[in-house]
Amino acid sequence: MTGLMILIGLVMALLLLFWAVGRGRADFGANRAEEESPVRLPPKALLGRCLSIEDVEFAAQLASPRILRLLLRERRRLALKWLRQTRREAGRLLRQHVRAARHAADLRPAAEVRLWFHAGLFLMVYEVLMTAVRLYGPFRTRAFVRSVFAMAGVLTNLGDRIAGAITAGRGHAVREAEGT
Amino acid sequence: MGLFSGALWWAGNGLIALVMYRGRKAALVGKYPYFYSYVASVAGSQLIQIYLSVGHYDQAFQKLAWWILEFVTAVVGFGVTWEIYRHVLCPFGGVRRMARAVLASLFGAVVGRTAIELAGRKLRDVFPTSIVLEQNLRAVQALLLVAILGLIVHYGLPIGHNLWALLTGYSFYVGANIVSLTVTSRWHRDMWAIWAVLPQIEYCITLIVWCVGMRAYFPNPMPDRALECDYEHVSAQTARAFARLRTHLIHSWRI
């Protein structure tokens, strides 16, 4: 077990080293200008159009399963591409930050950790969406996201009502105690 | 095996002499004092071992001396790690602060783990065997090297040819040493003959890397001072951008 852990550590160290060499080269390469350009998010409308239900309804009306399958496959490909582009922009944002931060004399480790947390959270959401699109397709993923939001809304309302009831109950108990 | 082992031993001695000669000739000793102290301590330990082997001392004494020398060189080896940290992080005050935080958490984790592991043991069981102690020292060095490597990779810190050689050679040596020490501590009786040659090979490879990388002085690239920025502002902006990016990612799927 110890040997295995050490081997894993060694492989990780070697990978880091190779990555470092590759990154060092890329830093001074032709990609530099592109890397420093501002972050451009893929438009929401593009995804909206990609997930347009009218297109699916139209394809369904044609009564050709092949066309419907082709449409769904294309839409899945486009949705994955949209997600990957967002991920690429997030990576670029992090690299831009790191390039600026390495020269900063007043770098704060706590702020850096907070940023890693933000980046990790983004990556987690990205991976969940990628997996959902890959497994269930973009339309079901959208339905899933909507239902998650709806459930979150219901839970928020419920929480608010419970908190309100507790506060009201406490107020009532205090008034009763003062009355006696 | 005997001839091969002998050839490796002589090659190792020749290579270490070459590293020291090049270090003196290229005036690298003053620039990397901790590294050359380590090289000198390794060369010194080799000389003591030669003296002991020709001086007809008994086997038990030679073995004890060998372990003491191994332990001393492992401790002096921390100087190499320190040398790497000193040169890589010197121009980057902020990253240095980050390194301090990372190392403090690493040491905290190591001390915590050791405390938990040793809790409830008898005092005589607490002291490890020399092989385990050396293994643990090397493991701590490996952790430190992985931490500096992580910082170099994450912040894209530029490093010169000399430091690449130091880092690559020492990381390889420490890593390979841990593996061979682990294997030796587990199956030392049956497989000693095979594993005795492996540290010599590791040692020679490391010395070759150092011979090539430390043949002349290659200064570390200095960062452009004009690129210094207001970290507070940059950090807040990136955190906001990430929050926006996450919202964009989720809300695009809600429409």
Side-chain angles (χ1 to χ4, degrees):
Chain A
M1 189 66 187
T2 322
L4 186 71
M5 275 173 70
I6 289 162
L7 272 177
I8 291 168
L10 275 177
V11 169
M12 201 179 75
L14 278 174
L15 280 176
L16 273 170
L17 200 68
F18 286 128
W19 187 40
V21 173
R23 215 180 116 131
R25 277 180 196 148
D27 219 22
F28 300 102
N31 292 336
R32 188 71 191 260
E34 199 202 314
E35 277 286 304
E36 279 176 4
S37 63
V39 171
R40 294 178 303 268
L41 291 175
K44 272 184 195 177
L46 193 73
L47 188 73
R49 232 178 304 153
C50 166
L51 299 178
S52 156
I53 203 78
E54 286 87 13
D55 294 348
V56 182
E57 281 170 357
F58 177 73
Q61 272 173 13
L62 296 176
S64 164
R66 255 186 79 198
I67 290 177
L68 190 62
R69 247 195 333 266
L70 186 72
L71 177 85
L72 291 177
R73 202 167 51 223
E74 272 306 297
R75 292 298 150 100
R76 179 186 305 221
R77 196 179 62 82
L78 285 172
L80 287 174
K81 211 165 179 145
W82 187 92
L83 280 170
R84 278 193 203 107
Q85 202 182 330
T86 315
R87 162 78 180 78
R88 225 179 352 258
E89 291 302 309
R92 223 152 57 82
L93 176 68
L94 194 64
R95 281 194 297 275
Q96 281 179 1
H97 166 80
V98 160
R99 253 202 306 278
R102 74 175 167 207
H103 296 287
D106 55 343
L107 184 143
R108 282 186 302 115
E112 284 293 284
V113 172
R114 213 167 25 243
L115 265 182
W116 291 349
F117 174 73
H118 275 292
L121 214 57
F122 170 83
L123 267 181
M124 203 180 75
V125 173
Y126 164 80
E127 285 301 335
V128 167
L129 285 172
M130 279 296 273
T131 313
V133 172
R134 272 202 199 108
L135 292 177
Y136 304 109
F139 295 100
R140 282 191 203 163
T141 303
R142 187 173 59 177
F144 165 69
V145 172
R146 279 178 179 167
S147 61
V148 165
F149 268 97
M151 194 180 280
V154 168
L155 286 175
T156 312
N157 278 339
L158 204 63
D160 283 348
R161 277 164 58 186
I162 290 168
I166 290 170
T167 319
R170 240 187 233 153
H172 185 68
V174 168
R175 274 196 301 278
E176 260 184 14
E178 280 170 351
T180 56
Chain B
M1 190 72 84
L3 190 69
F4 182 57
S5 176
L8 281 175
W9 190 78
W10 279 110
N13 287 342
L15 284 168
I16 206 157
L18 189 63
V19 170
M20 288 175 84
Y21 169 73
R22 286 304 315 168
R24 224 180 117 71
K25 188 115 195 275
L28 291 171
V29 180
K31 291 186 174 81
Y32 304 102
Y34 298 106
F35 169 67
Y36 282 100
S37 306
Y38 173 69
V39 172
S41 77
V42 173
S45 95
Q46 294 284 355
L47 286 174
I48 293 170
Q49 278 178 54
I50 293 170
Y51 173 74
L52 289 177
S53 60
V54 296
H56 304 295
Y57 289 93
D58 63 277
Q59 283 277 313
F61 181 73
Q62 278 191 35
K63 205 171 175 185
L64 177 73
W66 186 76
W67 274 119
I68 291 170
L69 291 170
E70 277 288 297
F71 175 72
V72 170
T73 47
V75 171
V76 180
F78 276 96
V80 181
T81 319
W82 172 245
E83 192 88 83
I84 295 165
Y85 268 92
R86 199 167 66 104
H87 283 273
V88 171
L89 302 178
C90 179
F92 302 96
V95 185
R96 207 162 54 227
R97 200 182 294 172
M98 189 73 202
R100 225 174 293 152
V102 170
L103 291 188
S105 2
L106 265 180
F107 274 118
V110 168
V111 170
R113 187 185 177 276
T114 315
I116 292 166
E117 214 170 74
L118 296 182
R121 280 207 206 168
K122 285 178 187 156
L123 193 63
R124 65 168 182 276
D125 298 336
V126 167
F127 298 104
T129 57
S130 46
I131 195 164
V132 172
L133 187 64
E134 196 194 344
Q135 196 182 341
N136 291 346
L137 280 177
R138 295 289 188 203
V140 172
Q141 279 183 352
L143 269 179
L144 297 180
L145 287 169
V146 167
I148 184 79
L149 210 60
L151 286 170
I152 291 171
V153 168
H154 182 65
Y155 289 104
L157 304 180
I159 62 172
H161 207 66
N162 289 151
L163 277 178
W164 262 124
L166 274 190
L167 192 61
T168 321
Y170 201 61
S171 301
F172 170 76
Y173 182 67
V174 169
N177 210 257
I178 291 172
V179 174
S180 52
L181 278 170
T182 309
V183 173
T184 314
S185 68
R186 284 180 180 229
W187 301 287
H188 56 111
R189 294 252 181 255
D190 307 320
M191 297 180 73
W192 183 258
I194 301 161
W195 288 96
V197 187
L198 204 65
Q200 284 182 297
I201 297 172
E202 295 156 12
Y203 178 62
C204 285
I205 292 173
T206 307
L207 286 173
I208 289 168
V209 172
W210 285 345
C211 276
V212 175
M214 307 297 280
R215 66 187 181 278
Y217 179 55
F218 298 101
N220 245 13
M222 289 306 279
D224 190 355
R225 290 270 162 220
L227 290 172
E228 272 188 22
C229 63
D230 176 11
Y231 177 76
E232 203 82 38
H233 175 69
V234 169
S235 163
Q237 226 178 6
T238 314
R240 267 201 303 276
F242 259 112
R244 248 198 331 262
L245 211 60
R246 203 172 58 241
T247 314
H248 178 82
L249 185 68
I250 300 169
H251 284 262
S252 301
W253 287 85
R254 258 180 94 184
I255 300 165

